[in-house]
Amino acid sequence: MLSTHPALANQMALLETVFDRAPVGLGVVDRDFRYRHVNTALAAINGLPAADHIGRTPRDVVPQMWPQIEAVYTAVLNGETILNREMSGVIEAGPGGTAIGYWLTSFFAVRVDDEIIGIGIIVNDVTELRHSQERLRIRTDLYAMISRTSRAAVERQAADELFQDLCRIAVETGHFRFAWVGVPDGDRVRMVASAGDDHGYMAELVITLDEGDPRSHGPTGTAVRHGTPHFVNVFAAEPSTRLWHASAERAGFRASAALPLFERGRVAAVLTLYAGAAGFFTPELVEALGEISPVVSFALDAMAAEAIKRQDDAALRLRDRAIRAVSSGISISDATQPDNPMIFVSPSFERMTGYDATEVLGRNCRFLQGRETDPVTAAIVREAVEAGRGCTVELLNYRKDGTSFWNELTISPVADEHGTLTHFVGVQTDVTERRKLGEQMRQAQKMEAVGQLASGVAHDFNNLITVIDVCSDMLVQMLTGQEEALELAIEVQQAGERAGTLTRQLLAFSRKQVLAPRVVDVNVLVRDSEKLLWRLIGEHIILTIKLAPIPGIVMVDPGQLEQVLINLAVNARDAMPTGGHLSITSSHEVIDHARGPLQPGQHVVLEVRDAGTGMNTTVLSQIFEPFFTTKQAGQGTGLGLATVRSIVEQAGGHVQVESVVGQGTMFRIYLPRIVSPSDEQGARQVVATMPRGTETILLVEDDAAVRALGQRVLEQCGYTVLPACDGHVALEFARNYPHHIDVLVSDVVMPHLGGRKLAEAIATIRPATKVMFVSGYTDDEVLLHGVVHSEVTMLQKPYSLATLAQTIRRVIDG
């Protein structure tokens, strides 16, 4: 109960008028915290008539403030005085609205005779002051944000850096809850920078640019589509943002602004800001925020202009580098000046012609012509220039040092924007090597034609030599004991063997040799080739041959290995034009472990060494490339060493080469050695026996002499022979002969019906008949007729009497 002491009653009476009329809230509560006196100002602050306060506690009157008041009252009853403590709470702000109120409050003990009988309350409403201060702070922060934005716009060199700065400044300086920058990307807005805590808001946000899509109607979409700023002061009450009301409420976003950013007159991006207070964007703030868009847009324009300038500069630098790097020469002449003087030449033009630009500029390009330049071609260029049209020609030009080169010249007219001819651009390409290559190709084609001719000639020769070989074998057998006649027959026999060797060598030169790998003694082959090599290298070169004491047995086509020796000998000869020494040696070497393509095992090594000019490392790295040659045009095709390596590798071997300029070159050929005794015996064996039989042989041969001779030989060996001049006659035998036919011996290449087709036809009539093919053609031509050596027995012409008899016997018995 409030004390009734007479002195206090008098004082209260005197102060009553002051209480009621004071511009600040005044009140007194007793020790039970019940209001005993409340003036008009405090009643207005609490929103309740003064009379309704009496006897009630603040918990009843202002329950939202009670948590702040209770502890203060308790402290004052304990003797404390609390001055100017700021309190805040929710107040009504217009119809249906609320706001935050701020009050500066003081509390003191009311004493009588040192006894605390109650609490005095002084409340000063500073809500408007605080709101004014907040607005001032916001304006200050906003202007600081604009200032930092302007500085960032000047300092940043790239749009992505500027966008990130914008977001960071808006959150750090402008105190927005969240800020992000989006760019139009197709039919959507894509976020490229952000700052602040969005509480997952952006993960659910999709903004389109389709007018008919509600997702385009929010602040961001509207700002992009219309190109104007868009503000939403009460986010939760705005119909255009209804799709995002729930997620915005969770994130604490209660107001939003979207500011379009322009680049070269188009909306390039949009800055979207979120504030935590509804009604945040006052007209003053809206006007201030409007300064951001032109500042940033100016920076974007500057960046775009700088980017274009950089692109232009880069393009110019690239064109300059390209012009300097291109191998073709480039020149520009002034078509508006008499005689079309050159005003520009590229570094490649200088390198190609040997002339410095200072020696060329101001002159017509005809000074590159010389004594052997074709006047007709030069006239074509002159007429094109006079007519103002382009042309492409090849003409012989001359460098500053007087050497010539073939120039593929392309000239193109250049007109200005009005279509008037102003310049000619000339592109010069040195095509000397290309023309040399064309000549080499023509030479290779000639060699191919020679090879075709040699192949045909070899076929006919092989038929003739077959007759010579077989007849001479028969004569040698018949003339035993008649020494003088036998000697003549042996001469014929040896002449036939030499003729066969010459045929193989002819095919080796033309690269049409028969591919017939067999067991060969390298030492024997080198010795047999010695006379041919002497003839190839000439008398001015000394040939030395040193062979291993034991045979060098390998599996290789002897004709191909002869070609290897021939190619290496010819190269050595050309490397020693004034004479020198050529040595050929054979040896044996055991390879313990793989060395590149060289595999472990025993090898026969054939070494060819000359004392010629030698080669540098650049040439060495290219010598096995087809068509590569260091010889003058017309003196070589560049195929020799490529063929050497191909032959050796086909035989399972490897080629090594060493060369020193001025000291000579050494080729070392490794071939896998055959060490089987049976193979060695086979290499030395001389076919001498003539096996016999009683079987029936269908002999098909279109050459009458070879057919007649074959029939005679086989009949002498006891066989029954059915001779046929072609495939059709052979088929008649197969259909009508009443007895068994044991073996078909047929030429492969015949008119009307070839050997392969004949064999297939007979197989349907007589499936038990065995097949043996004979041919005087090359492997390539035999393969064209469907015959593969690995599938059937093949006897290559020319053959000896004994070889024919033994091969047929092997087929029958096999």
Side-chain angles (χ1 to χ4, degrees):
M1 295 292 292
L2 184 64
S3 174
T4 57
H5 193 281
L8 180 59
N10 291 334
Q11 290 179 7
M12 291 296 293
L14 293 173
L15 293 174
E16 184 176 352
T17 300
V18 177
F19 264 65
D20 288 337
R21 297 182 181 182
V24 297
L26 298 176
V28 177
V29 298
D30 59 19
R31 292 184 63 87
D32 294 327
F33 304 154
R34 295 183 182 279
Y35 286 108
R36 292 302 180 181
H37 191 83
V38 175
N39 74 348
T40 304
L42 182 57
I45 291 173
N46 290 340
L48 192 69
D52 293 341
H53 283 68
I54 306 303
R56 302 174 66 184
T57 69
R59 179 188 296 216
D60 301 325
V61 176
V62 283
Q64 76 273 18
M65 299 297 295
W66 178 245
Q68 301 178 58
I69 296 173
E70 182 179 17
V72 173
Y73 281 7
T74 301
V76 172
L77 290 180
N78 289 327
E80 293 185 30
T81 299
I82 297 175
L83 301 175
N84 297 325
R85 171 169 292 188
E86 185 173 278
M87 295 185 178
S88 61
V90 178
I91 61 174
E92 293 184 2
T98 60
I100 301 298
Y102 297 91
W103 302 277
L104 199 61
T105 59
S106 295
F107 303 90
F108 56 93
V110 178
R111 298 173 184 269
V112 176
D113 297 333
D114 292 329
E115 178 187 354
I116 299 176
I117 63 172
I119 301 171
I121 304 169
I122 303 174
V123 180
N124 188 10
D125 190 344
V126 294
T127 299
E128 185 58 34
L129 174 63
R130 291 291 180 267
H131 286 176
S132 297
Q133 290 174 340
E134 181 63 17
R135 288 193 293 271
L136 178 61
R137 183 194 63 77
I138 292 173
R139 284 199 303 272
T140 301
D141 291 344
L142 189 57
Y143 284 119
M145 170 183 163
I146 295 171
S147 176
R148 286 189 61 187
T149 298
S150 299
R151 187 163 60 251
V154 172
E155 294 175 351
R156 295 306 181 192
Q157 302 297 315
D160 55 346
E161 296 177 352
L162 177 57
F163 291 157
Q164 190 57 54
D165 275 359
L166 275 178
C167 297
R168 186 168 53 252
I169 291 169
V171 172
E172 293 176 356
T173 305
H175 297 290
F176 288 96
R177 285 183 174 247
F178 185 72
W180 66 282
V181 172
V183 297
D185 186 2
D187 64 344
R188 297 196 174 190
V189 178
R190 174 172 54 86
M191 185 174 73
V192 295
S194 66
D197 187 356
D198 69 332
H199 296 279
Y201 179 82
M202 296 301 296
E204 304 176 8
L205 185 68
V206 176
I207 297 175
T208 71
L209 298 176
D210 180 2
E211 183 77 34
D213 188 341
R215 294 175 298 177
S216 72
H217 296 169
T220 303
T222 302
V224 175
R225 288 187 293 105
H226 297 166
T228 56
H230 194 71
F231 297 88
V232 174
N233 250 333
V234 184
F235 201 93
E238 173 63 40
S240 65
T241 62
R242 66 182 182 278
L243 294 176
W244 309 288
H245 284 175
S247 55
E249 182 62 28
R250 288 195 301 270
F253 298 164
R254 294 181 174 83
S256 177
L259 310 174
L261 309 174
F262 298 89
E263 177 187 297
R264 303 174 70 85
R266 66 176 183 84
V267 177
V270 60
L271 171 64
T272 302
L273 308 170
Y274 297 96
F280 182 85
F281 298 103
T282 64
E284 185 179 14
L285 294 186
V286 168
E287 182 180 357
L289 284 171
E291 297 182 20
I292 291 178
S293 183
V295 169
V296 176
S297 299
F298 180 81
L300 293 178
D301 282 345
M303 291 176 186
E306 182 62 25
I308 293 173
K309 181 177 181 299
R310 286 197 301 269
Q311 291 175 356
D312 291 343
D313 291 345
L316 287 173
R317 289 192 297 270
L318 176 60
R319 284 195 290 270
D320 183 64
R321 290 196 301 270
I323 289 173
R324 292 180 180 277
V326 71
S327 59
S328 298
I330 299 175
S331 63
I332 302 176
S333 64
D334 189 346
T336 66
Q337 298 295 322
D339 206 28
N340 288 283
M342 287 188 285
I343 61 173
F344 169 83
V345 291
S346 70
S348 296
F349 180 96
E350 296 176 303
R351 291 192 295 269
M352 183 185 303
T353 65
Y355 288 97
D356 187 81
T358 57
E359 302 173 284
V360 173
L361 299 183
R363 302 173 65 182
N364 186 282
C365 63
R366 74 171 67 88
F367 73 89
L368 294 174
Q369 300 173 15
R371 59 187 179 279
E372 296 185 15
T373 301
D374 181 18
V376 176
T377 306
I380 293 174
V381 177
R382 185 170 60 253
E383 291 169 2
V385 170
E386 291 173 354
R389 54 181 170 79
C391 73
T392 299
V393 298
E394 285 187 15
L395 75 166
L396 193 66
N397 279 166
Y398 289 84
R399 302 182 182 88
K400 184 178 179 180
D401 61 7
T403 58
S404 63
F405 68 99
W406 281 98
N407 180 10
E408 182 182 78
L409 171 64
T410 298
I411 60 172
S412 304
V414 179
D416 62 15
E417 63 273 15
H418 305 295
T420 302
L421 177 65
T422 60
H423 298 86
F424 279 100
V425 175
V427 179
Q428 297 84 11
T429 304
D430 187 342
V431 294
T432 306
E433 291 302 319
R434 188 177 74 188
R435 289 177 71 95
K436 288 181 180 179
L437 181 60
E439 184 61 32
Q440 291 172 353
M441 289 297 295
R442 285 189 290 274
Q443 180 67 19
Q445 290 169 351
K446 291 179 184 178
M447 291 295 294
E448 180 69 18
V450 170
Q452 294 292 341
L453 176 62
S455 176
V457 171
H459 171 261
D460 293 338
F461 266 56
N462 284 335
N463 281 333
L464 295 174
I465 296 168
T466 298
V467 174
I468 294 172
D469 285 352
V470 174
C471 287
S472 62
D473 287 347
M474 295 175 68
L475 283 173
V476 169
Q477 291 180 359
M478 294 168 59
L479 295 174
T480 303
Q482 304 178 41
E483 296 301 327
E484 186 175 348
L486 179 59
E487 184 177 344
L488 294 174
I490 291 175
E491 284 292 334
V492 174
Q493 188 182 51
Q494 293 175 347
E497 292 176 357
R498 289 195 296 272
T501 300
L502 288 173
T503 303
R504 289 195 303 274
Q505 291 172 349
L506 175 63
L507 291 174
F509 273 120
S510 63
R511 300 181 180 87
K512 289 286 184 177
Q513 70 273 25
V514 177
L515 301 177
R518 57 188 176 89
V519 177
V520 173
D521 184 347
V522 171
N523 293 347
V524 173
L525 188 141
V526 173
R527 284 298 183 195
D528 290 345
S529 304
E530 184 174 0
K531 290 182 179 180
L532 174 62
L533 297 177
W534 272 113
R535 289 195 296 270
L536 285 174
I537 63 178
E539 297 180 354
H540 64 299
I541 295 176
I542 300 172
L543 174 62
T544 301
I545 296 178
K546 184 179 179 181
L547 303 175
I550 60 175
I553 308 301
V554 298
M555 176 66 75
V556 69
D557 186 306
Q560 286 190 318
L561 193 54
E562 283 178 358
Q563 181 178 342
V564 169
L565 287 173
I566 290 168
N567 286 345
L568 295 180
V570 170
N571 279 357
R573 177 198 65 192
D574 294 342
M576 299 182 290
T578 60
H581 185 265
L582 172 64
S583 66
I584 301 176
T585 62
S586 68
S587 61
H588 298 267
E589 184 175 337
V590 178
I591 306 300
D592 296 328
H593 57 276
R595 299 198 303 238
L598 192 57
Q599 297 302 307
Q602 297 190 37
H603 289 75
V604 176
V605 182
L606 188 61
E607 185 176 292
V608 180
R609 183 188 298 269
D610 67 58
T613 55
M615 296 173 283
N616 58 37
T617 54
T618 302
V619 174
L620 272 177
S621 66
Q622 298 176 274
I623 58 172
F624 291 116
E625 295 178 7
F627 298 111
F628 175 78
T629 180
T630 58
K631 299 174 183 178
Q632 295 295 322
Q635 295 185 10
T637 63
L639 295 173
L641 291 179
T643 302
V644 166
R645 183 170 68 174
S646 176
I647 290 172
V648 174
E649 290 179 350
Q650 284 178 3
H654 177 61
V655 182
Q656 290 182 351
V657 58
E658 298 176 6
S659 187
V660 178
V661 176
Q663 298 182 28
T665 301
M666 182 274 296
F667 285 89
R668 186 177 288 113
I669 297 168
Y670 290 83
L671 295 171
R673 183 187 176 203
I674 297 176
V675 295
S676 170
S678 60
D679 290 333
E680 294 182 19
Q681 180 182 359
R684 298 189 298 269
Q685 180 179 358
V686 178
V687 178
T689 59
M690 287 284 291
R692 300 177 61 82
T694 59
E695 290 83 1
T696 299
I697 298 174
L698 177 56
L699 177 64
V700 189
E701 170 62 62
D702 61 334
D703 187 286
V706 175
R707 183 175 65 253
L709 186 60
Q711 180 180 357
R712 180 176 179 178
V713 169
L714 294 175
E715 287 177 344
Q716 287 181 356
C717 290
Y719 298 105
T720 299
V721 179
L722 307 176
C725 62
D726 59 33
H728 292 301
V729 175
L731 277 178
E732 289 300 317
F733 274 119
R735 293 190 183 102
N736 302 320
Y737 186 68
H739 304 296
H740 184 69
I741 297 177
D742 296 277
V743 62
L744 167 68
V745 178
S746 174
D747 199 354
V748 175
V749 183
M750 296 184 297
H752 309 306
L753 186 63
R756 179 56 135 180
K757 294 294 184 182
L758 172 62
E760 292 173 352
I762 289 179
T764 63
I765 302 171
R766 296 175 181 264
T769 299
K770 298 180 179 180
V771 179
M772 178 181 122
F773 287 123
V774 179
S775 181
Y777 281 103
T778 66
D779 267 1
D780 288 345
E781 290 158 322
V782 169
L783 284 171
L784 287 175
H785 289 79
V787 177
V788 181
H789 286 225
S790 61
E791 297 177 353
V792 296
T793 299
M794 169 71 74
L795 181 61
Q796 194 71 45
K797 298 176 182 177
Y799 50 77
S800 67
L801 179 65
T803 302
L804 174 63
Q806 286 196 338
T807 305
I808 288 179
R809 188 69 257 166
R810 188 167 62 250
V811 170
I812 293 173
D813 295 340

Coordinates of all heavy atoms in Angstrom, one line a residue, residues 34-59:
R34 N 2.3 -2.1 -8.6 CA 1.0 -1.7 -9.1 C 1.1 -0.2 -9.3 O 1.6 0.5 -8.5 CB -0.1 -2.1 -8.1 CG -0.2 -3.6 -8.0 CD -1.4 -3.9 -7.1 NE -1.5 -5.4 -6.9 CZ -2.1 -6.2 -7.7 NH1 -2.7 -5.7 -8.8 NH2 -2.1 -7.5 -7.5
Y35 N 0.5 0.2 -10.4 CA 0.5 1.6 -10.7 C -0.4 2.4 -9.7 O -1.5 2.0 -9.4 CB -0.1 1.9 -12.1 CG 0.8 1.5 -13.3 CD1 0.5 0.4 -14.1 CD2 1.9 2.3 -13.6 CE1 1.4 0.1 -15.1 CE2 2.7 2.0 -14.6 CZ 2.5 0.9 -15.4 OH 3.3 0.6 -16.5
R36 N 0.2 3.5 -9.1 CA -0.5 4.4 -8.2 C -0.8 5.7 -8.9 O -1.8 6.4 -8.5 CB 0.2 4.5 -6.9 CG 0.3 3.3 -6.1 CD -1.1 2.8 -5.8 NE -1.0 1.6 -4.9 CZ -2.1 1.0 -4.5 NH1 -3.3 1.4 -4.9 NH2 -2.0 -0.1 -3.8
H37 N 0.0 6.1 -9.8 CA -0.2 7.4 -10.5 C 0.4 7.2 -11.9 O 1.6 6.8 -12.1 CB 0.4 8.5 -9.8 CG 0.0 9.9 -10.3 ND1 -1.2 10.5 -10.0 CD2 0.6 10.7 -11.2 CE1 -1.3 11.6 -10.6 NE2 -0.2 11.8 -11.4
V38 N -0.3 7.7 -12.9 CA 0.2 7.7 -14.3 C -0.2 9.0 -15.0 O -1.4 9.3 -14.9 CB -0.4 6.5 -15.1 CG1 0.0 6.5 -16.6 CG2 0.1 5.2 -14.5
N39 N 0.7 9.7 -15.6 CA 0.3 10.9 -16.3 C -0.2 10.6 -17.7 O -0.1 9.5 -18.2 CB 1.4 11.9 -16.3 CG 2.5 11.6 -17.2 OD1 2.6 10.5 -17.8 ND2 3.5 12.5 -17.5
T40 N -0.7 11.6 -18.4 CA -1.3 11.5 -19.7 C -0.2 11.0 -20.7 O -0.6 10.1 -21.6 CB -1.8 12.8 -20.1 OG1 -2.8 13.3 -19.2 CG2 -2.5 12.7 -21.5
A41 N 1.0 11.5 -20.7 CA 2.0 11.1 -21.6 C 2.3 9.6 -21.5 O 2.5 8.9 -22.5 CB 3.3 11.9 -21.4
L42 N 2.5 9.1 -20.3 CA 2.8 7.7 -20.1 C 1.6 6.8 -20.5 O 1.8 5.7 -21.1 CB 3.1 7.4 -18.6 CG 3.5 5.9 -18.3 CD1 4.7 5.5 -19.2 CD2 3.9 5.8 -16.8
A43 N 0.4 7.3 -20.2 CA -0.8 6.5 -20.6 C -0.8 6.4 -22.2 O -1.2 5.4 -22.7 CB -2.1 7.2 -20.1
A44 N -0.5 7.5 -22.8 CA -0.4 7.5 -24.3 C 0.6 6.5 -24.8 O 0.4 5.8 -25.8 CB -0.2 8.9 -24.9
I45 N 1.8 6.5 -24.2 CA 2.9 5.6 -24.6 C 2.4 4.2 -24.4 O 2.7 3.3 -25.3 CB 4.1 5.9 -23.7 CG1 4.7 7.2 -24.1 CG2 5.2 4.8 -23.9 CD1 5.9 7.7 -23.2
N46 N 1.7 3.9 -23.3 CA 1.3 2.5 -23.1 C 0.0 2.1 -23.8 O -0.4 1.0 -23.9 CB 1.0 2.3 -21.6 CG 2.3 2.3 -20.8 OD1 3.4 2.1 -21.3 ND2 2.2 2.5 -19.5
G47 N -0.6 3.1 -24.4 CA -1.8 2.9 -25.3 C -3.0 2.5 -24.5 O -3.9 1.8 -24.9
L48 N -3.2 3.1 -23.2 CA -4.3 2.7 -22.3 C -4.6 4.0 -21.5 O -3.7 4.6 -21.0 CB -3.9 1.6 -21.4 CG -5.0 0.9 -20.6 CD1 -5.9 0.1 -21.6 CD2 -4.4 -0.1 -19.6
P49 N -5.9 4.3 -21.3 CA -6.2 5.5 -20.4 C -5.6 5.4 -19.1 O -5.3 4.3 -18.5 CB -7.7 5.4 -20.3 CG -8.2 4.7 -21.6 CD -7.1 3.7 -21.8
A50 N -5.3 6.6 -18.5 CA -4.6 6.6 -17.2 C -5.4 5.9 -16.1 O -4.8 5.2 -15.3 CB -4.3 8.1 -16.8
A51 N -6.7 6.1 -16.1 CA -7.5 5.5 -15.1 C -7.4 4.0 -15.1 O -7.5 3.3 -14.1 CB -8.9 6.0 -15.2
D52 N -7.2 3.4 -16.3 CA -7.2 2.0 -16.4 C -5.9 1.4 -15.9 O -5.7 0.2 -15.9 CB -7.4 1.6 -17.9 CG -8.8 1.9 -18.3 OD1 -9.7 2.1 -17.5 OD2 -9.1 1.9 -19.6
H53 N -4.9 2.2 -15.6 CA -3.6 1.8 -15.1 C -3.6 1.5 -13.6 O -2.9 0.6 -13.1 CB -2.5 2.8 -15.4 CG -2.0 2.9 -16.8 ND1 -2.8 3.3 -17.8 CD2 -0.8 2.5 -17.3 CE1 -2.1 3.3 -18.9 NE2 -0.8 2.8 -18.6
I54 N -4.4 2.3 -12.9 CA -4.4 2.3 -11.4 C -4.8 0.9 -10.9 O -5.8 0.3 -11.2 CB -5.3 3.4 -10.8 CG1 -5.0 4.7 -11.5 CG2 -5.2 3.4 -9.3 CD1 -3.6 5.2 -11.3
G55 N -3.8 0.4 -10.0 CA -4.1 -0.9 -9.4 C -3.6 -2.1 -10.3 O -3.6 -3.2 -9.8
R56 N -3.1 -1.8 -11.5 CA -2.7 -2.9 -12.3 C -1.1 -2.9 -12.5 O -0.5 -1.8 -12.3 CB -3.3 -2.8 -13.7 CG -4.8 -2.8 -13.6 CD -5.5 -2.6 -15.0 NE -5.2 -3.7 -15.9 CZ -5.6 -3.6 -17.2 NH1 -6.2 -2.6 -17.7 NH2 -5.3 -4.7 -18.0
T57 N -0.5 -4.0 -12.8 CA 0.9 -4.0 -13.0 C 1.3 -3.8 -14.4 O 0.5 -4.0 -15.3 CB 1.5 -5.4 -12.5 OG1 1.0 -6.4 -13.4 CG2 1.0 -5.7 -11.0
P58 N 2.6 -3.5 -14.7 CA 3.0 -3.4 -16.1 C 2.8 -4.7 -16.8 O 2.7 -4.7 -18.0 CB 4.5 -3.1 -15.9 CG 4.6 -2.3 -14.6 CD 3.6 -3.0 -13.7
R59 N 2.9 -5.8 -16.1 CA 2.7 -7.1 -16.8 C 1.3 -7.2 -17.4 O 1.1 -7.8 -18.4 CB 2.8 -8.3 -15.8 CG 2.6 -9.6 -16.4 CD 2.6 -10.7 -15.3 NE 3.8 -10.8 -14.6 CZ 4.4 -11.9 -14.2 NH1 3.8 -13.0 -14.4 NH2 5.5 -11.8 -13.5

